[in-house]
Amino acid sequence: MTNSLAVVLVSGGLDSMVSAARAREDGHRLLALSIDYNQRHQIELAAARRIAAALGAERHVVLPLDLRAFGGSALTDDIDVPKDGVVADDIPVTYVPARNTIFLSLALGWAEAAGARDIYIGVNAIDYSGYPDCRPEFIHGFEKLADLATRAGVQGEPFRIRTPLQDMTKADIAREAARLGLDAGMSWSCYDPAPGGLHCGLCDSCRLRAKGFEEAGLPDPTRYAVRP
C-alpha cells in the first residue's frame, strides 16, 4: 500500500474501469484522465465521469483533443463501424492512429507535473480487436521512452506503465470487475450507440464484452439493441 498518486486513463469502458480500480486497490490515490478526442459519441465520456466519481478520484480531467481533424478511423471519420464480427489477424478500421501513444504521452505529462510515477492503462492483448498499441512490446517501449523524455526519468525517478489487464481474457476482466465490487453497468463499450442509449450489440467491442460475461458465467448488465 503506497498512498502515492497514480494517473489512470479512464475511457469509460469496462477495461479502463477495472484498471483504475486495480490502481486504487494497489493503494494509489487517483488522478483520472479522459480524452475527448471528438469521437463518434459522448456517451463514453459520461460513463468515464461516473466511473471516476465512483472510484473516488481526487481529480478528473476531461481533456479536449480533436483527433477528428486527422481522421483515419471509423471512430473519428465518416467510415462505417464494422458489424460483422471480429476478424482475426487484421487491424480493424476502428483503430485510431497512434491513440494509445497520444493518450499515454498526455498521461505522462500530467504524471510528471503532479509527482506521480505510476500510470495505469487498461490495455489487453488476449481478447481484443488486434490494435498494435495494446501489445506488451508497445508498453515496454513507451516505458523506456518515458524515462528518456522526462526530467524525472533522467534524474533517476522512473515511470511505471501499469497494465493489470494485459494478459486477461474478457472473461477474466468481467470476473475481476465482480471481485472488485464494481458496477459493470456504469461502463460503456459500444463503438456505435443505438438510439435510446443502447449498445448496438454488433460491433467488435459489443461482441467481445458480451463474450466475456457469458464465458465468466456472470450476468451481463449491458443493455443491447441487438443481443450479440
Side-chain angles (χ1 to χ4, degrees), residues 38-55:
N38 205 3
Q39 54 268 59
R40 292 177 72 101
H41 54 81
Q42 294 287 304
I43 194 167
E44 68 178 18
L45 291 172
R49 291 183 176 93
R50 291 194 298 270
I51 290 165
L55 293 177

Side-chain angles (χ1 to χ4, degrees), residues 137-219:
E137 300 95 318
F138 163 71
I139 297 298
H140 295 327
F142 190 91
E143 196 167 58
K144 291 178 181 178
L145 173 67
D147 290 338
L148 292 171
T150 59
R151 179 173 61 186
V154 300
Q155 291 181 345
E157 298 180 26
F159 291 89
R160 295 166 291 271
I161 310 300
R162 304 293 194 185
T163 57
L165 316 186
Q166 185 74 77
D167 299 317
M168 289 187 181
T169 65
K170 285 296 183 185
D172 292 333
I173 294 167
R175 293 188 193 99
E176 188 71 347
R179 183 189 70 80
L180 291 163
L182 301 174
D183 175 7
M186 285 195 304
S187 66
W188 182 271
S189 298
C190 182
Y191 292 146
D192 193 21
L198 302 177
H199 283 62
C200 75
L202 297 176
C203 69
D204 287 2
S205 189
C206 281
R207 292 175 188 270
L208 288 168
R209 181 182 175 106
K211 175 177 177 281
F213 283 104
E214 181 179 0
E215 292 183 352
L218 294 170

Side-chain angles (χ1 to χ4, degrees), residues 77-107:
D77 213 335
D78 295 326
I79 302 171
D80 289 339
V81 172
K83 300 292 183 69
D84 298 326
V86 180
V87 179
D89 301 320
D90 191 23
I91 298 173
V93 295
T94 51
Y95 163 71
V96 177
R99 179 171 60 180
N100 283 344
T101 306
I102 295 166
F103 288 6
L104 279 172
S105 296
L106 294 168

